[in-house]
Amino acid sequence: MMTAKEYIDSLRKLNTRVYMFGEKIDNWVDHPMIRPSINCVAMTYALAQDPQYEDLMTATSNLTGRKINRFAHLHQSTEDLVKKVKMQRLMGQKTASCFQRCVGMDAFNAVYSTTYEIDEACGTGYHENFKKFLIMVQDEDLTVDGAMTDPKGDRSKAPHQQSDPDMYVHVVERRADGIVVCGAKCHQTGSVNSHWHLFMPTISMGEKDADWAVSFACPSDAEGLYMIYGRQSCDTRKLEEGCSIDVGNAKFGGQEALVVLDHVFIPNEYIFLNGEYQFAGMMVERFAGYHRQSYGGCKVGVGDVVIGAAALAAEYNGVEKASAVKDKLIEMTHLNETLYSCGIACSCEGCPTKAGNYQIDLLLANVCKQNVTRFPYEIVRLAEDIAGGLMVTMPSQKDFESDLPVGREGETIGEICRKYFATREGVSAEERQRVLRFLENMCLGAAAVGYRTESMHGAGSPQAQRIMIARQGDIEGKKKLAKNIAGIQ
Ligand code: SF4
Ligand code: FE
């Protein structure tokens, strides 16, 4: 397994094409807006080296028998599924961010089981292709972006009906040695920080969509592949000097980008679906199911930090004993642990796929994610309530540190800030500044991308879960129960 440093060094060896603010970014590894997201992924490597987290962060590969990072593991039991959620909660607690590497893990598990069933039905050789690819990923301890979300153009039209065929990733040429693909994937979490990309379709498809029913892997710096970095709320604070407190979380952050495939050649050995349109939906459903389980871990870990920060803000203001504050913290904890309960429940109720790896209970995973589209918003509302308005009105770090005299007796801007933003004894103005800026970042700054909007739309928007809940909820079975008790024939 790689160390955190080896992971960061390995990124420098890639020729990944990254664009931001209309320019090509050559040294993206050290770019102040990108680096926090790299630090996050690096934590998936660092914690795997730490003996106290070995049980959660590592696993034994069913393919090779070797010890691997759990982020590259195929779940072999419900216990593995539970450990996955616990690992994600731990990672959320350590970074207060989206740590990005889960999309690859969830894609591995979905593509592994789906390729087995495609081969069984169609006599193809995708499963062997995929196993070879995954052994490389496990042995080299690579980070892989599981890439699903196409731009989708006109949502009322199927892929083959779009006026621009690139609205969904598709095959433009079939050769004896492989395929050439075009298209793009939107808001790709961790794409710049990944060594490889694993592409999957984004919706169920019909016969006419066969050219769009395609799954494959390619290196992040493949010829014809490039990324346009997504910006986040308040992101340019990271570019300001002497602004580390104002940033809120100077070390960690999330990342999304638009990934473009402009006539990228994919050799046969890296193809996992190529025209078998009947299986596009299975791949989508399984990946989405795993990622909806994931949110019962990662968002809970981040929630732990938000709750802790709100409690600190209350303590610093001297109101921590107020019953109203205590009750708000109880409510936040209740909501957060409800999400965790869903993540654990869908894992415990998992079952083996035909390929042998374990899948979560799909209904419970969708319930988990549906709750995630709501509860973090309420947790954040309560955090803002406890924090008070100062969270968004406080002068800058530079003001707090300024030596410019402004008062009648020569008091500096810094002294005036520290005087008026002082609070209870034993708490410095800087500590208060730090905790409030952290909450600002979580509630409406760059980190709100991961904690709020990603909770809404990541792993599928709320309606996508409601469709699955409708499909899995067995209303007919429930009607029978009612008829039986009520004595209706
Ligand atoms: Fe992992 Fe959560 Fe980020 Fe998805 S949103 S990649 S599950 S941390
Ligand atoms: Fe996500």
Side-chain angles (χ1 to χ4, degrees), residues 179-230:
I179 54 173
V180 178
V181 293
C182 276
K185 294 288 183 183
C186 292
H187 27 81
Q188 286 308 298
T189 293
S191 50
V192 174
N193 303 339
S194 296
H195 303 98
W196 277 68
H197 278 58
L198 172 51
F199 291 88
M200 297 162 285
T202 201
I203 50 166
S204 302
M205 293 187 187
E207 201 176 343
K208 288 184 179 159
D209 299 318
D211 284 344
W212 287 264
V214 61
S215 172
F216 53 89
C218 79
S220 300
D221 57 357
E223 177 89 35
L225 192 157
Y226 56 89
M227 305 172 197
I228 304 173
Y229 204 82

Side-chain angles (χ1 to χ4, degrees), residues 131-142:
K131 277 204 289 200
K132 276 189 208 134
F133 166 70
L134 191 60
I135 289 171
M136 173 191 76
V137 169
Q138 291 182 344
D139 285 351
E140 295 180 24
D141 202 5
L142 301 178

Side-chain angles (χ1 to χ4, degrees), residues 71 84 88 91-92 95 97-106 189-190 256 290-299 302 450 454-455 458-459:
F71 279 96
K84 173 198 160 184
Q88 289 168 311
M91 281 294 309
T95 61
S97 296
C98 164
F99 36 89
Q100 310 146 55
R101 205 174 167 188
C102 332
V103 281
M105 167 176 55
D106 291 341
T189 293
E256 269 82 23
Y290 283 120
H291 212 56
R292 289 169 195 173
Q293 167 209 26
S294 288
Y295 278 38
C298 76
K299 301 303 176 218
V302 177
E454 191 176 47
S455 287

Side-chain angles (χ1 to χ4, degrees), residues 1-2 4 39-61 66-73 75 79-80 82-95 99 101-102 105 138 141:
M1 293 184 296
M2 276 198 264
N39 293 339
C40 255
V41 182
M43 277 299 269
T44 70
Y45 291 88
L47 293 188
Q49 303 276 339
D50 188 333
Q52 65 172 310
Y53 302 124
E54 189 183 3
D55 186 47
L56 286 188
M57 297 297 302
T58 67
T60 302
S61 168
R66 291 190 276 276
K67 184 178 172 185
I68 54 168
N69 192 299
R70 188 173 294 281
F71 279 96
H73 187 47
H75 316 300
E79 195 190 348
D80 265 352
V82 169
K83 281 184 184 173
K84 173 198 160 184
V85 171
K86 291 187 175 179
M87 167 180 78
Q88 289 168 311
R89 184 170 189 171
L90 172 72
M91 281 294 309
Q93 291 171 341
K94 296 287 185 189
T95 61
F99 36 89
R101 205 174 167 188
C102 332
M105 167 176 55
Q138 291 182 344
D141 202 5

Side-chain angles (χ1 to χ4, degrees), residues 110-127 201 213-215 271-283 286 354-355:
V111 176
Y112 182 79
S113 64
T114 307
T115 51
Y116 184 92
E117 293 182 43
I118 306 170
D119 288 358
E120 197 183 56
C122 308
T124 43
Y126 300 138
H127 193 62
V214 61
S215 172
I271 300 174
F272 315 125
L273 173 75
N274 182 9
E276 295 80 8
Y277 62 89
Q278 323 84 290
F279 289 91
M282 181 188 284
M283 207 178 264
R286 291 185 180 180
K354 280 188 178 177

Side-chain angles (χ1 to χ4, degrees), residues 393-465:
T393 62
M394 198 171 19
S396 71
Q397 180 177 349
K398 280 186 185 147
D399 290 308
F400 276 85
E401 291 167 0
S402 169
D403 291 330
L404 188 74
V406 285
R408 283 183 194 278
E409 298 186 6
E411 304 94 327
T412 65
I413 296 178
E415 284 166 341
I416 294 297
C417 284
R418 290 192 290 275
K419 169 183 162 82
Y420 286 109
F421 295 115
T423 177
R424 71 190 299 171
E425 207 135 305
V427 177
S428 68
E430 185 185 314
E431 284 167 324
R432 201 173 175 209
Q433 231 183 318
R434 284 186 180 276
V435 83
L436 293 179
R437 287 298 181 203
F438 172 77
L439 280 169
E440 179 197 32
N441 178 245
M442 292 307 311
C443 299
L444 31 83
V449 175
Y451 194 55
R452 290 176 51 136
T453 316
E454 191 176 47
S455 287
M456 181 68 81
H457 294 294
S461 306
Q463 196 56 30
Q465 290 111 56

